[in-house]
Amino acid sequence: MSAEVIYGKDLAAEIREEMRQEVARMKQDGIIPGLTVVLIGEDPASQSYVKGKKKASEKVGMKSNLIELPASTSQEELLDLLNDLNKDVGVHGILVQLPLPDHIDEQAVIEAIDPSKDVDGFHPINVGRMMTGEDTFYPCTPYGIMVMLERANITVEGKHVVVVGRSNLVGKPVGQLLLNQNATVTYCHSRTKDLSAHTRQADILIVAAGKAGLIDGSHIKDGAVVIDVGVNRVNDKLTGDVDFDSAAAKASYITPVPKGVGPMTITMLLHNTIKAAKRIEGK
Ligand SMILES: Nc1nc2c(c(=O)[nH]1)N[C@@H](CN(C=O)c1ccc(C(=O)N[C@@H](CCC(=O)O)C(=O)O)cc1)CN2
């Protein structure tokens, strides 16, 4: 088997063009979706992601605001800012870039964002709604994976999905979204014994462990779908959690790193911001 490569980058471009047209229609009704992104500190990867978010939202015609604050910003100052943004009628979506400096309690920040503006889908109210299968804001990377599978015509229902990684950002929510679509889901993590015994059972293998090269061809069943969510920098080179060549020799479909899942994250953020604007403006 030699896998078909699913390029999230191409899919993201296609979906963003659809969004550009949608935002143009919304503007005719007097609605301009507004996204505010808050970055604390100077982590280079985070700086690059928030710039990407601003650029992408402007490209589809949204109003975008990037607030960059020093790493010394106190939790209280950040919570005050979020309180102001919650009340600002021109702001439909609020996102605080993660990770935050150690002196700030991440969960307190997430919970300070109005759930109706929580375009990251991290607020416990939105997580709870996702758990119970309600329509809400879903976290962007897991949601991007679901859209990639759907657009590649990969059926989820009845499939055995193995998720490697249990982060709140990716592993846990992607398993939940797949379960909501009637997949059978197994979670594996750093304490799982005999990882490959589990991964070899997967019809769809989702790897979000943050460990370069954790998974190779020997972990994969012939014909499985392999989704690599890893973003690791090794010797200045970006690489996933999956050894691409040996995995592609076994899989039916595979996503690369870069240009795979990553670009879908920002695309689904735009989707959630459009959704927030429509809801808030009563459309
Ligand atoms: N508040 C949030 N913080 C973080 C999130 C998030 O969804 N919300 N996710 C990640 C970082 N992230 C977006 O914020 C993100 C990661 C990767 C990519 C991406 O397009 N990656 C490219 C490669 C880019 C590169 O060269 O570095 C790819 O995989 O092709 C976009 C967004 C943590 N924080």
Side-chain angles (χ1 to χ4, degrees):
M1 180 87 52
S2 183
E4 188 173 317
V5 182
I6 309 173
Y7 287 101
K9 191 160 191 272
D10 296 344
L11 189 53
E14 199 180 301
I15 297 173
R16 289 182 199 184
E17 173 53 26
E18 292 164 15
M19 288 174 182
R20 194 187 60 74
Q21 292 172 24
E22 175 143 31
V23 171
R25 283 192 294 275
M26 289 171 79
K27 279 185 180 164
Q28 286 170 0
D29 289 337
I31 303 168
I32 305 176
L35 172 68
T36 294
V37 174
V38 181
L39 173 67
I40 312 289
E42 284 165 15
D43 174 69
S46 293
Q47 282 176 329
S48 149
Y49 297 142
V50 296
K51 279 191 188 115
K53 288 173 185 187
K54 183 168 166 59
K55 200 169 147 200
S57 49
E58 284 168 353
K59 222 169 156 190
V60 300
M62 292 181 189
K63 209 168 67 194
S64 173
N65 185 21
L66 170 58
I67 301 176
E68 292 180 274
L69 298 171
S72 58
T73 303
S74 70
Q75 180 165 321
E76 203 186 344
E77 285 168 324
L78 178 54
L79 296 183
D80 284 347
L81 169 66
L82 293 175
N83 193 28
D84 291 343
L85 293 172
N86 284 341
K87 287 189 272 192
D88 187 334
V89 291
V91 176
H92 301 107
I94 304 169
L95 176 150
V96 178
Q97 188 64 29
L98 302 178
L100 286 166
D102 287 345
H103 66 278
I104 300 180
D105 175 354
E106 196 171 286
Q107 198 56 27
V109 170
I110 288 170
E111 292 186 23
I113 297 172
D114 180 337
S116 71
K117 296 189 177 187
D118 166 38
V119 285
D120 252 336
F122 294 160
H123 192 287
I125 287 189
N126 288 320
V127 174
R129 287 183 179 143
M130 178 183 66
M131 293 281 291
T132 51
E134 287 168 73
D135 181 27
T136 189
F137 302 115
Y138 304 129
C140 300
T141 303
Y143 195 12
I145 293 169
M146 298 306 288
V147 171
M148 281 180 106
L149 292 171
E150 190 188 322
R151 296 244 178 167
N153 289 318
I154 296 166
T155 312
V156 160
E157 180 159 330
K159 298 278 174 66
H160 185 186
V161 182
V162 176
V163 180
V164 183
R166 53 175 164 179
S167 68
N168 288 338
L169 245 74
V170 184
K172 281 185 207 160
V174 79
Q176 185 62 52
L177 289 175
L178 288 156
L179 181 65
N180 291 355
Q181 292 204 0
N182 303 315
T184 301
V185 180
T186 300
Y187 286 98
C188 298
H189 45 78
S190 55
R191 309 253 174 104
T192 297
K193 293 196 178 110
D194 198 358
L195 180 64
S196 68
H198 296 281
T199 59
R200 278 200 301 265
Q201 313 254 329
D203 300 313
I204 301 174
L205 178 62
I206 302 194
V207 192
K211 238 181 152 182
L214 176 69
I215 298 294
D216 62 27
S218 70
H219 293 82
I220 295 165
K221 177 169 83 173
D222 268 329
V225 174
V226 178
I227 308 290
D228 188 355
V229 198
V231 184
N232 310 292
R233 267 167 229 282
V234 179
N235 300 331
D236 268 352
K237 205 173 155 249
L238 198 69
T239 174
D241 290 351
V242 176
D243 173 57
F244 185 84
D245 291 341
S246 64
K250 287 279 206 67
S252 56
Y253 291 89
I254 190 165
T255 62
V257 177
K259 299 190 175 80
V261 172
M264 291 301 288
T265 297
I266 295 181
T267 305
M268 301 326 292
L269 170 68
L270 305 182
H271 170 93
N272 281 349
T273 306
I274 291 173
K275 183 173 183 158
K278 283 183 181 169
R279 283 179 163 191
I280 290 169
E281 303 296 339
K283 298 279 174 191

Short mmCIF file of all heavy atoms in Angstrom, two decimals, residues 67-97:
data_model
loop_
_atom_site.label_atom_id
_atom_site.label_comp_id
_atom_site.label_asym_id
_atom_site.label_seq_id
_atom_site.Cartn_x
_atom_site.Cartn_y
_atom_site.Cartn_z
N ILE A 67 -3.55 41.81 20.14
CA ILE A 67 -3.06 42.54 21.32
C ILE A 67 -1.85 41.78 21.85
O ILE A 67 -1.98 40.63 22.29
CB ILE A 67 -4.16 42.65 22.40
CG1 ILE A 67 -5.38 43.39 21.82
CG2 ILE A 67 -3.64 43.36 23.65
CD1 ILE A 67 -6.56 43.47 22.77
N GLU A 68 -0.68 42.42 21.77
CA GLU A 68 0.55 41.78 22.25
C GLU A 68 0.98 42.45 23.55
O GLU A 68 1.19 43.66 23.59
CB GLU A 68 1.65 41.90 21.20
CG GLU A 68 1.34 41.08 19.96
CD GLU A 68 2.42 41.18 18.90
OE1 GLU A 68 2.37 42.13 18.10
OE2 GLU A 68 3.31 40.33 18.88
N LEU A 69 1.09 41.64 24.60
CA LEU A 69 1.45 42.17 25.92
C LEU A 69 2.73 41.50 26.43
O LEU A 69 3.02 40.36 26.05
CB LEU A 69 0.30 41.91 26.91
CG LEU A 69 -1.03 42.60 26.56
CD1 LEU A 69 -2.14 42.10 27.47
CD2 LEU A 69 -0.91 44.11 26.65
N PRO A 70 3.48 42.21 27.29
CA PRO A 70 4.74 41.62 27.76
C PRO A 70 4.52 40.40 28.66
O PRO A 70 3.45 40.24 29.25
CB PRO A 70 5.39 42.76 28.56
CG PRO A 70 4.27 43.68 28.90
CD PRO A 70 3.24 43.56 27.83
N ALA A 71 5.56 39.57 28.77
CA ALA A 71 5.49 38.36 29.60
C ALA A 71 5.24 38.69 31.06
O ALA A 71 4.76 37.85 31.83
CB ALA A 71 6.79 37.57 29.44
N SER A 72 5.54 39.94 31.45
CA SER A 72 5.35 40.35 32.85
C SER A 72 3.89 40.71 33.16
O SER A 72 3.56 41.01 34.31
CB SER A 72 6.24 41.57 33.13
OG SER A 72 5.90 42.61 32.23
N THR A 73 3.02 40.68 32.17
CA THR A 73 1.59 41.00 32.39
C THR A 73 1.04 40.11 33.52
O THR A 73 1.25 38.89 33.52
CB THR A 73 0.78 40.75 31.10
OG1 THR A 73 1.36 41.53 30.06
CG2 THR A 73 -0.69 41.10 31.26
N SER A 74 0.32 40.73 34.47
CA SER A 74 -0.21 39.93 35.58
C SER A 74 -1.51 39.25 35.16
O SER A 74 -2.18 39.68 34.20
CB SER A 74 -0.45 40.82 36.80
OG SER A 74 -1.55 41.67 36.55
N GLN A 75 -1.87 38.24 35.91
CA GLN A 75 -3.12 37.53 35.64
C GLN A 75 -4.30 38.50 35.75
O GLN A 75 -5.23 38.47 34.94
CB GLN A 75 -3.28 36.38 36.62
CG GLN A 75 -4.56 35.60 36.41
CD GLN A 75 -4.54 34.27 37.13
OE1 GLN A 75 -3.51 33.61 37.18
NE2 GLN A 75 -5.66 33.90 37.70
N GLU A 76 -4.25 39.37 36.77
CA GLU A 76 -5.34 40.33 36.98
C GLU A 76 -5.50 41.27 35.78
O GLU A 76 -6.62 41.53 35.32
CB GLU A 76 -5.03 41.13 38.24
CG GLU A 76 -6.26 41.71 38.87
CD GLU A 76 -5.91 42.62 40.04
OE1 GLU A 76 -4.77 42.54 40.54
OE2 GLU A 76 -6.78 43.41 40.42
N GLU A 77 -4.36 41.74 35.24
CA GLU A 77 -4.42 42.62 34.06
C GLU A 77 -5.04 41.89 32.87
O GLU A 77 -5.87 42.44 32.13
CB GLU A 77 -3.01 43.09 33.69
CG GLU A 77 -2.45 44.16 34.62
CD GLU A 77 -0.96 44.41 34.43
OE1 GLU A 77 -0.20 43.45 34.14
OE2 GLU A 77 -0.56 45.56 34.59
N LEU A 78 -4.66 40.63 32.71
CA LEU A 78 -5.21 39.85 31.59
C LEU A 78 -6.71 39.62 31.78
O LEU A 78 -7.50 39.77 30.83
CB LEU A 78 -4.45 38.52 31.46
CG LEU A 78 -4.93 37.58 30.35
CD1 LEU A 78 -4.96 38.25 28.99
CD2 LEU A 78 -4.03 36.33 30.29
N LEU A 79 -7.12 39.31 33.00
CA LEU A 79 -8.55 39.07 33.26
C LEU A 79 -9.35 40.35 33.05
O LEU A 79 -10.48 40.32 32.53
CB LEU A 79 -8.76 38.51 34.67
CG LEU A 79 -8.15 37.12 34.94
CD1 LEU A 79 -8.48 36.65 36.35
CD2 LEU A 79 -8.60 36.08 33.92
N ASP A 80 -8.77 41.51 33.43
CA ASP A 80 -9.45 42.81 33.19
C ASP A 80 -9.64 43.05 31.70
O ASP A 80 -10.70 43.50 31.25
CB ASP A 80 -8.63 43.96 33.79
CG ASP A 80 -8.77 44.02 35.31
OD1 ASP A 80 -9.66 43.35 35.85
OD2 ASP A 80 -7.96 44.73 35.95
N LEU A 81 -8.59 42.75 30.94
CA LEU A 81 -8.66 42.93 29.48
C LEU A 81 -9.77 42.06 28.90
O LEU A 81 -10.59 42.50 28.07
CB LEU A 81 -7.30 42.59 28.84
CG LEU A 81 -7.30 42.48 27.32
CD1 LEU A 81 -7.58 43.84 26.66
CD2 LEU A 81 -5.96 41.93 26.81
N LEU A 82 -9.82 40.79 29.34
CA LEU A 82 -10.84 39.87 28.82
C LEU A 82 -12.24 40.35 29.18
O LEU A 82 -13.17 40.24 28.37
CB LEU A 82 -10.58 38.45 29.34
CG LEU A 82 -9.29 37.80 28.81
CD1 LEU A 82 -9.05 36.45 29.48
CD2 LEU A 82 -9.33 37.64 27.29
N ASN A 83 -12.37 40.89 30.36
CA ASN A 83 -13.66 41.44 30.79
C ASN A 83 -14.10 42.56 29.84
O ASN A 83 -15.27 42.63 29.43
CB ASN A 83 -13.50 41.95 32.23
CG ASN A 83 -14.81 42.23 32.88
OD1 ASN A 83 -15.82 41.63 32.52
ND2 ASN A 83 -14.83 43.18 33.81
N ASP A 84 -13.15 43.43 29.45
CA ASP A 84 -13.46 44.52 28.50
C ASP A 84 -13.84 43.95 27.13
O ASP A 84 -14.79 44.41 26.50
CB ASP A 84 -12.25 45.46 28.33
CG ASP A 84 -11.99 46.27 29.60
OD1 ASP A 84 -12.90 46.35 30.46
OD2 ASP A 84 -10.87 46.82 29.73
N LEU A 85 -13.08 42.95 26.69
CA LEU A 85 -13.35 42.36 25.37
C LEU A 85 -14.70 41.64 25.36
O LEU A 85 -15.43 41.67 24.36
CB LEU A 85 -12.24 41.39 24.97
CG LEU A 85 -10.86 42.02 24.70
CD1 LEU A 85 -9.79 40.94 24.52
CD2 LEU A 85 -10.91 42.93 23.48
N ASN A 86 -15.05 41.01 26.48
CA ASN A 86 -16.36 40.34 26.57
C ASN A 86 -17.49 41.35 26.33
O ASN A 86 -18.53 41.01 25.76
CB ASN A 86 -16.55 39.72 27.96
CG ASN A 86 -15.76 38.43 28.14
OD1 ASN A 86 -15.35 37.81 27.16
ND2 ASN A 86 -15.53 38.04 29.39
N LYS A 87 -17.26 42.60 26.78
CA LYS A 87 -18.33 43.62 26.70
C LYS A 87 -18.31 44.37 25.37
O LYS A 87 -19.26 45.07 25.03
CB LYS A 87 -18.16 44.62 27.86
CG LYS A 87 -18.56 44.01 29.20
CD LYS A 87 -18.61 45.04 30.30
CE LYS A 87 -17.29 45.21 30.95
NZ LYS A 87 -17.10 45.91 32.14
N ASP A 88 -17.21 44.25 24.61
CA ASP A 88 -17.04 45.02 23.38
C ASP A 88 -17.93 44.43 22.26
O ASP A 88 -17.70 43.30 21.81
CB ASP A 88 -15.55 44.97 22.98
CG ASP A 88 -15.23 45.87 21.80
OD1 ASP A 88 -16.14 46.14 20.99
OD2 ASP A 88 -14.06 46.30 21.70
N VAL A 89 -18.89 45.20 21.79
CA VAL A 89 -19.85 44.66 20.82
C VAL A 89 -19.23 44.41 19.44
O VAL A 89 -19.78 43.67 18.62
CB VAL A 89 -21.10 45.58 20.67
CG1 VAL A 89 -21.95 45.55 21.93
CG2 VAL A 89 -20.69 47.01 20.30
N GLY A 90 -18.09 45.02 19.18
CA GLY A 90 -17.42 44.80 17.88
C GLY A 90 -16.57 43.54 17.87
O GLY A 90 -16.06 43.13 16.82
N VAL A 91 -16.41 42.92 19.02
CA VAL A 91 -15.58 41.70 19.13
C VAL A 91 -16.51 40.49 19.23
O VAL A 91 -17.24 40.34 20.21
CB VAL A 91 -14.66 41.77 20.38
CG1 VAL A 91 -13.87 40.47 20.55
CG2 VAL A 91 -13.70 42.96 20.28
N HIS A 92 -16.46 39.63 18.20
CA HIS A 92 -17.30 38.42 18.23
C HIS A 92 -16.52 37.21 18.74
O HIS A 92 -17.10 36.29 19.32
CB HIS A 92 -17.82 38.12 16.82
CG HIS A 92 -18.64 39.23 16.26
ND1 HIS A 92 -18.19 40.06 15.25
CD2 HIS A 92 -19.87 39.67 16.58
CE1 HIS A 92 -19.13 40.94 14.96
NE2 HIS A 92 -20.16 40.74 15.76
N GLY A 93 -15.20 37.20 18.49
CA GLY A 93 -14.38 36.07 18.90
C GLY A 93 -13.16 36.54 19.68
O GLY A 93 -12.53 37.52 19.31
N ILE A 94 -12.89 35.84 20.79
CA ILE A 94 -11.71 36.16 21.62
C ILE A 94 -10.86 34.90 21.74
O ILE A 94 -11.39 33.81 22.00
CB ILE A 94 -12.12 36.61 23.04
CG1 ILE A 94 -13.09 37.79 23.00
CG2 ILE A 94 -10.89 36.94 23.89
CD1 ILE A 94 -13.74 38.10 24.36
N LEU A 95 -9.56 35.08 21.58
CA LEU A 95 -8.65 33.94 21.72
C LEU A 95 -7.40 34.40 22.47
O LEU A 95 -6.83 35.43 22.14
CB LEU A 95 -8.28 33.46 20.32
CG LEU A 95 -7.26 32.33 20.17
CD1 LEU A 95 -7.57 31.53 18.92
CD2 LEU A 95 -5.83 32.83 20.12
N VAL A 96 -7.00 33.65 23.48
CA VAL A 96 -5.73 33.91 24.16
C VAL A 96 -4.77 32.80 23.73
O VAL A 96 -5.06 31.61 23.93
CB VAL A 96 -5.90 33.91 25.69
CG1 VAL A 96 -4.55 34.14 26.37
CG2 VAL A 96 -6.88 35.01 26.11
N GLN A 97 -3.68 33.19 23.10
CA GLN A 97 -2.74 32.19 22.60
C GLN A 97 -2.09 31.42 23.74
O GLN A 97 -1.64 32.00 24.73
CB GLN A 97 -1.67 32.90 21.74
CG GLN A 97 -0.74 31.97 20.99
CD GLN A 97 -1.45 31.11 19.95
OE1 GLN A 97 -2.47 31.50 19.38
NE2 GLN A 97 -0.93 29.93 19.68
#
